[in-house]
């Protein structure tokens, strides 16, 4: 049958709301650090960056446009979701500060260092955001919708959406690099670690799922 999430009856606590907001900000910081590395971002961010360059608009505006497209797809598939349309503007804010302070990262060791910093930062933000369990971002929900309608494992659907975005970015002349691969395969273990070591304890909440 279709994958269902357990319905929560309790109201969102202040801890969970703060966890969601802080998580979104930290995710944006992590993506900005990925961008500073010049070795590639996660797939959807890499695609948004390239589209913003081609269209001559800001990353924040492009992020909204992309999420609106995903929202239309999700509403057609009748999924309810919560989205962070302002994430692109926060990424731009952090990136401008980082680039202004440190300048371009031109040497590979420095670029790799930025990637090493970006992975746990992004994973920490994802852990807070997901543990808060107050909604799913449009891109993340796309893989869940594919799982519902194709009846395939979530992992395969997520790999498909990430790979598709990476291929489109590459075909458009965008940057798909080490950072993109590290993000695809390295975030999961860090997110799982932060869930148990920090987020579930601090937010005093553990998302429950049934199938």
């Amino acid at each position: 049958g279709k994958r269902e999430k357990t319905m929560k009856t309790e109201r969102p606590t202040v801890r969970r709301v703060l966890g969601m907001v802080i998580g979104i900000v930290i995710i944006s910081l992590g993506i900005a650090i990925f961008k500073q590395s010049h070795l590639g971002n996660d797939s959807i961010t890499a695609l948004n960056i390239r589209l913003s360059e081609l269209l001559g608009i800001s990353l924040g505006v492009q992020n909204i446009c992309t999420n609106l497209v995903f929202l239309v797809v999700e509403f057609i598939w009748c999924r309810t979701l919560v989205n962070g349309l302002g994430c692109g503007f926060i990424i731009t804010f952090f990136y401008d500060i980082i680039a202004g302070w440190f300048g371009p990262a031109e040497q590979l060791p420095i670029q790799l260092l930025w990637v090493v910093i970006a992975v746990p930062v992004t994973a920490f933000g994802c852990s807070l955001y997901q543990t808060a369990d107050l909604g799913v971002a449009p891109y993340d929900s796309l893989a869940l919708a594919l799982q519902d309608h194709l009846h395939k494992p979530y992992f395969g659907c997520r790999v498909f959406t990430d790979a598709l975005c990476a291929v489109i970015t590459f075909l458009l002349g965008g940057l798909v690099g080490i950072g993109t691969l590290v993000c695809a395969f390295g975030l999961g273990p860090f997110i799982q670690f932060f869930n148990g070591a920090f987020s579930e304890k601090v937010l005093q909440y553990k998302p429950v799922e049934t199938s």
Side-chain angles (χ1 to χ4, degrees), residues 146-161:
L146 286 173
Q147 179 189 20
D148 287 346
H149 290 269
L150 299 178
H151 306 292
K152 300 294 184 181
Y154 173 77
F155 176 80
C157 294
R158 183 60 189 243
V159 169
F160 171 77
T161 56

Side-chain angles (χ1 to χ4, degrees), residues 44-139:
I44 187 59
T45 302
L47 178 58
N48 275 329
I49 290 173
R50 184 53 181 163
L51 288 174
S52 69
E53 293 170 350
L54 292 175
L55 297 175
I57 58 179
S58 70
L59 177 60
V61 173
Q62 177 57 49
N63 187 67
I64 290 177
C65 293
T66 302
N67 280 335
L68 287 175
V69 172
F70 289 144
L71 281 170
V72 171
V73 174
E74 296 301 330
F75 283 135
I76 291 174
W77 282 345
C78 300
R79 289 197 64 93
T80 302
L81 49 92
V82 175
N83 61 86
L85 294 179
C87 192
F89 294 104
I90 306 175
I91 295 170
T92 301
F93 170 77
F94 280 127
Y95 177 71
D96 288 344
I97 293 176
I98 294 172
W101 283 357
F102 296 98
E106 298 177 346
Q107 297 180 340
L108 183 59
I110 302 299
Q111 294 173 333
L112 291 174
L113 177 61
W114 283 115
V115 171
V116 169
I117 296 172
V119 170
V121 171
T122 306
F124 181 52
C126 288
S127 174
L128 284 172
Y129 175 75
Q130 294 177 4
T131 301
D133 197 27
L134 295 177
V136 184
Y139 177 70

